[in-house]
């Protein structure tokens, strides 16, 4: 008996203007171009989801990103290359994001072509907790422009420059 199951793939690029949920059942979620969450929109990523960048793309958050994994089901955000390397994708950029933003139990790797794997600018309300952030071509986390992200219980490793880099910013 031969059993074949359908493989679901979700492709994402462009500007998201209304609320979305990215489900683990739709893995992988492939970023095929620069992507932005507009002011007032929220993207929620379900525990167990796998997000991969297919090139040097940026994920910019003006609205809200809730990537809320669990201690059992992390969310993976990484390179989509067969042999991943530092700098395969740009960064997740919270740019004066207008909503509450959360990266919890996320494994973020092989980005940081410029700035960092996670880059926070301005008065963004960003909490980064219980995450592993590594293998960036630059910094694990970078914050500037008065940013004050809350970073706790994270393992930040194997980044080319700094684990956490701040300029005109603070971290809690």
């Amino acid at each position: 008996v031969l059993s074949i199951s359908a493989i679901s793939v979700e492709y994402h690029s462009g500007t998201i203007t209304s609320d979305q949920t990215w489900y683990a059942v739709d893995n992988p979620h492939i970023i095929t171009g620069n992507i932005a969450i507009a002011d007032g929109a929220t993207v929620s990523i379900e525990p167990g989801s796998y997000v991969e960048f297919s090139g040097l793309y940026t994920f910019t958050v003006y609205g809200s990103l809730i990537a809320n994994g669990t201690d059992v089901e992390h969310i993976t955000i990484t390179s989509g290359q067969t042999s991943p390397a530092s700098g395969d994708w740009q960064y997740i950029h919270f740019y004066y994001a207008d909503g509450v933003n959360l990266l919890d139990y996320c494994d973020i790797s092989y980005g940081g072509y410029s700035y960092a794997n996670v880059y926070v600018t301005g008065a963004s309300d960003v909490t980064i907790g219980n995450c592993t952030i590594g293998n960036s071509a630059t910094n694990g986390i970078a914050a500037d422009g008065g940013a004050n992200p809350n970073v706790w219980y994270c393992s930040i490793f194997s980044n080319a420059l700094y684990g956490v880099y701040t300029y005109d910013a603070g971290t809690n």
Side-chain angles (χ1 to χ4, degrees), residues 5 10 39 41-42 49 57 67 76 85 98 101 104 120 127 133 137 139 147 155 160-161:
S5 55
E10 289 289 322
D39 286 330
T42 299
S49 292
Y57 304 122
T76 301
D98 67 3
N101 294 278
D104 197 19
V120 184
T127 298
I133 300 172
N139 304 293
S155 176
L161 299 176

Side-chain angles (χ1 to χ4, degrees), residues 107-108 127:
D107 301 324
I108 304 169
T127 298

